[in-house]
Amino acid sequence: RLKRHYNAVVAADMSRESIFGIFSTILDYFLQQGFEKSIIDLKDNIVNCSIDTFEAAGTDLLPTPSKSHYTFNLRDIWKVFQGICSLKSKKVTDPLVAIRCFCHENVRVYGDRLTTDEDRAWLRGKLDGQLSTSFGIDPVKVFDKERLVFADFMSSSGDRFYSEVDSMAAMKTIMEGFLDDYNNMFSVPMPLVMFADACEHVARVCRVLRQPSGNALLLGVGGSGRQSLSRLASFMSEYDIFQIDVVKGYGMTEFKDDLKTCLMKCGNEQK
């Protein structure tokens, strides 16, 4: 008797053919902007493998009480293509780099959400299988470095190009330079030690910030560096930081005032 007062709207999942058509069109348009033919020829494999990974994640990585965030939708495929479409034709001429970017984006979109080594090993096995069967390439050639990282802050010139990080040592040096600039500019310095994991975390946050409407929820125990690394990543991306100070008596009214201040900065001052 309750349900008769409501309208039931059922939205069926899109077919694989429809999903392939959407992302194939997007990727084809992007790759026609000056990329080599060897990279353009990867289009169908990239789209098919992206859909395979999405479908496998929805089947094998089911949400549980301890993994309640294991929910996947078409936005995840789109985020993979957002990363791939950040490449520049004048910087990427080798199809191997495009394949590495495809793997990197899958690891960022799916792998960064996984909480156990078993699940991360599942994703790596999935990617290794796709590289061997669909792309016909040895996974060792793709994962040939200590860590697979793509970033846009490695260029010493003013232009920012989303490209592969060839050396973790070079990335560490560049981040330490940004950290020194931050400490010289702000009254409260951050005495951080930029070890490999911290550098990779900063690169992850920078990747999210450079995307349209990019957002992330950072999880970790207190003192693990979530706030400090986010501040450094924002500084590297040339963004201002707005932080809510929760003090005694802070309530919904104060939150709305803070939200109003933040939105006014975004809208009126273009910050």
Side-chain angles (χ1 to χ4, degrees), residues 53-111:
T53 303
F54 167 71
E55 291 178 345
T59 302
D60 298 338
L61 302 177
L62 299 175
T64 64
S66 62
K67 304 174 183 178
S68 58
H69 59 290
Y70 278 27
T71 54
F72 306 97
N73 55 48
L74 284 179
R75 291 193 192 95
D76 297 312
I77 303 181
W78 168 235
K79 289 173 186 174
V80 171
F81 282 89
Q82 266 190 324
I84 296 173
C85 292
S86 298
L87 298 175
K88 299 297 181 183
S89 58
K90 61 182 178 180
K91 286 291 184 180
V92 179
T93 57
D94 186 356
L96 184 59
V97 176
I99 295 174
R100 284 180 181 145
C101 184
F102 161 77
C103 292
H104 171 264
E105 297 306 314
N106 275 282
V107 173
R108 293 283 76 82
V109 172
Y110 299 103

Side-chain angles (χ1 to χ4, degrees), residues 35-202:
F35 281 92
E36 301 285 339
K37 185 178 184 304
S38 57
I39 297 179
I40 297 176
D41 291 341
L42 296 173
K43 181 194 67 174
D44 287 350
N45 283 337
I46 289 177
V47 177
N48 278 317
C49 289
S50 297
I51 298 174
D52 288 341
T53 303
F54 167 71
E55 291 178 345
T59 302
D60 298 338
L61 302 177
L62 299 175
T64 64
S66 62
K67 304 174 183 178
S68 58
H69 59 290
Y70 278 27
T71 54
F72 306 97
N73 55 48
L74 284 179
R75 291 193 192 95
D76 297 312
I77 303 181
W78 168 235
K79 289 173 186 174
V80 171
F81 282 89
Q82 266 190 324
I84 296 173
C85 292
S86 298
L87 298 175
K88 299 297 181 183
S89 58
K90 61 182 178 180
K91 286 291 184 180
V92 179
T93 57
D94 186 356
L96 184 59
V97 176
I99 295 174
R100 284 180 181 145
C101 184
F102 161 77
C103 292
H104 171 264
E105 297 306 314
N106 275 282
V107 173
R108 293 283 76 82
V109 172
Y110 299 103
D112 286 350
R113 203 182 305 182
L114 307 181
T115 58
T116 65
D117 291 336
E118 179 184 358
D119 292 341
R120 285 186 282 269
W122 173 91
L123 178 61
R124 177 60 185 271
K126 189 72 180 174
L127 292 175
D128 287 350
Q130 291 175 347
L131 292 173
S132 300
T133 57
S134 298
F135 294 98
I137 189 171
D138 187 352
V140 175
K141 292 183 179 180
V142 175
F143 297 98
D144 62 338
K145 298 180 180 65
E146 177 187 354
R147 297 168 190 254
L148 182 60
V149 179
F150 277 71
D152 66 350
F153 50 76
M154 294 297 292
S155 176
S156 56
S157 62
D159 297 327
R160 287 182 171 242
F161 296 103
Y162 193 63
S163 58
E164 184 181 7
V165 176
D166 294 321
S167 168
M168 289 295 294
M171 183 170 77
K172 179 175 180 289
T173 301
I174 288 177
M175 285 190 179
E176 287 174 343
F178 277 113
L179 180 61
D180 289 339
D181 292 341
Y182 179 94
N183 290 336
N184 292 330
M185 188 175 298
F186 294 94
S187 58
V188 181
M190 296 190 300
L192 303 178
V193 178
M194 300 307 297
F195 54 95
D197 283 339
C199 291
E200 191 173 13
H201 284 320
V202 172

Side-chain angles (χ1 to χ4, degrees), residues 242 244-260:
F242 184 85
I244 293 174
D245 294 322
V246 180
V247 295
K248 185 176 180 181
Y250 189 92
M252 185 57 68
T253 303
E254 289 76 16
F255 173 73
K256 289 181 178 178
D257 290 339
D258 283 340
L259 188 60
K260 187 189 303 181

